[in-house]
Amino acid sequence: YYSKSFTLPAPDFAQIDFFFLDAERMFYGDAEQLVWLDKGLENSTADWKIVVGHRPLFSYGYHGFNGPLIPRLQPILNHRADIYIAGHEHDMQLLGPMNDVYYIVTGSAGAAKVTGVEDLTVFAAGRAGFMGFLISKDKLVLRAIETNAGVIYTKILKTKN
């Protein structure tokens, strides 16, 4: 696990902190990594805080909700991370927000499987493609891009004044 900070070029100068997790280790319990993430989010002064892990916490795809990860990770993300991005499922999902965090599954670049649509679903597609982002100091925008069709969905996830 590691973090990486970026500052966008002028005129925007937005600061983005990425926190990349070893979600496989965390799945079985990794207190050291949880403490590292908790401190990292707490100390971050970036405009946007993005957490990335292989396994989703929430999903209406084949693997479903992740019982072991939700109680370990969600309390740390609540009200501090802007988005949590995961793969593992072979579909595209935008879920939430829950406690100010959007949960994104983008795992269908290699293959696509059907996904469900339930109460937390904002967008879902069982198509080959990926999720991309447009980020500025005051706006975080998600785009779902289908392999042969281009952009099929756009949503402003968050804005800041």
Side-chain angles (χ1 to χ4, degrees):
Y1 52 95
Y2 65 97
S3 62
K4 182 78 176 167
S5 297
F6 294 93
T7 300
L8 296 179
D12 200 57
F13 297 112
Q15 294 182 327
I16 308 161
D17 281 350
F18 286 90
F19 300 88
F20 297 93
L21 305 178
D22 183 345
E24 295 304 305
R25 279 180 45 194
M26 194 175 291
F27 182 79
Y28 298 102
D30 184 354
E32 179 182 311
Q33 190 175 178
L34 291 169
V35 169
W36 168 84
L37 178 62
D38 188 44
K39 287 182 180 179
L41 288 171
E42 182 180 324
N43 294 328
S44 174
T45 59
D47 298 299
W48 303 106
K49 298 164 196 70
I50 299 172
V51 180
V52 181
H54 176 72
R55 291 179 184 250
L57 275 70
F58 305 99
S59 171
Y60 295 115
Y62 176 79
H63 297 287
F65 281 34
N66 194 317
L69 277 184
I70 293 169
R72 293 179 184 137
L73 197 50
Q74 188 182 22
I76 294 171
L77 300 175
N78 286 345
H79 305 290
R80 296 195 294 176
D82 293 294
I83 57 178
Y84 177 81
I85 303 171
H88 199 57
E89 300 282 9
H90 290 266
D91 57 35
M92 295 183 280
Q93 299 178 58
L94 170 61
L95 306 174
M98 289 176 277
N99 298 310
D100 299 325
V101 181
Y102 277 99
Y103 292 85
I104 296 160
V105 178
T106 177
S108 64
K113 292 184 179 177
V114 175
T115 186
V117 175
E118 300 290 338
D119 58 332
L120 297 174
T121 304
V122 178
F123 168 80
R127 304 176 191 171
F130 62 95
M131 303 280 210
F133 301 90
L134 300 171
I135 302 174
S136 67
K137 193 167 187 71
D138 63 349
K139 198 179 297 181
L140 180 58
V141 180
L142 171 120
R143 284 187 174 172
I145 302 163
E146 186 178 347
T147 301
N148 296 317
V151 177
I152 59 171
Y153 180 79
T154 300
K155 178 169 178 61
I156 299 172
L157 297 181
K158 294 192 170 189
T159 58
K160 296 183 180 188
N161 296 331

